[in-house]
Amino acid sequence: MRFIALDTPKPLSKIGLGTWQFGSREWGYGPDFEKQAAQIVRRAVELGVTVFDSAEVYGFGRSERILGAALGDDRPKVVVASKILPVLPVAAVVQQRAVASAARLGVTSIDLYQVHQPNPLVADHTTMRGMRTLQDVGLVGEVGVSNYGLRRWQVAEAALGRRVLSNQVRYSMLDRAPEQDLLPYARQAGRVVIAYSPLAQGFLSGRYDARNPPTGAVRRANPYFLPENLERGAALIDTVRQVADAHDATPSQIALAYLLRHPNVLAIPGASGVEQMERNAAAADIDLADDEYTALAEAAKRFRPITGLAAMPAMLRARFANTTGK
């Protein structure tokens, strides 16, 4: 396992574990998953993974409980991260919600406590006042944000009066906007970009194509998985496979290695089983050559999916077809 070269109380592994799936029925996990989740977490710890990310909204608190129980005695050794859903994120509420998350996680201090989304109506100075108090009393170690643009990240840091260590954003070979400003800033300022959905919910795994679309509800709601977009993405997936073959790796591992090439990026893919966790962790040790990285970047730029309002008619057709079985 490789780590980000920053001065943090605990090392930050380049690959972490995202736990949105833990306890979330929309991912298809039932009552037996807690045992499987424990096995995934145990194996992640064995492989040197130190960053475990959850949120109070994941499974309505179940993800935090499952993660905390799975970590057990290893909780003090790793970076336990969670996020507050910013509904009325004034200082007092931030403090109350942190106490609740810590209790579910079974920790006396949340190593990284993040604002899950920017609130358009509540300024960051009141939210960060609560975060600063949590740091002062030792209930929170580092403060982070999520889904923030660069300017608001910097405003949040000014409001906190201390570093806002990380910004957790959607970042993958399909979603490359963070490369424009967030990644350069992280490197210059000694901050971290945490990449969620680093495999674009499995689009980059090579498992799906226009003839074999995903069946789960979460992926069906993602326009990337429209048949038209799966067809458009075939050339990109072919390039990823070519690089993967050169490294005796999987397409998913190469898609992760593309992100991890930046020194201040860590990725938090989910894992549905121990073997997937092992493959994800191994991606941290893949070194892409300059020409391979360039080929991947160019192939990603050429992929032009149908998204936004333009995708709505196709999404509605797909939803209707799934409902009627036609």
Side-chain angles (χ1 to χ4, degrees), residues 41 69 117 167 210 215 244 297 309 319:
V41 170
Q117 299 275 353
N167 191 356
T215 58
L309 292 176
R319 180 70 59 86

Side-chain angles (χ1 to χ4, degrees), residues 28-71:
Y29 294 123
D32 295 335
F33 185 70
E34 289 195 28
K35 180 179 179 181
Q36 189 176 4
Q39 294 170 346
I40 293 168
V41 170
R42 299 304 319 143
R43 185 59 177 145
V45 172
E46 291 170 359
L47 293 168
V49 172
T50 63
V51 180
F52 295 83
D53 180 78
S54 186
E56 64 177 6
V57 75
Y58 295 166
F60 300 101
R62 288 191 298 271
S63 171
E64 291 176 321
R65 292 191 186 95
I66 293 170
L67 175 59
L71 284 169

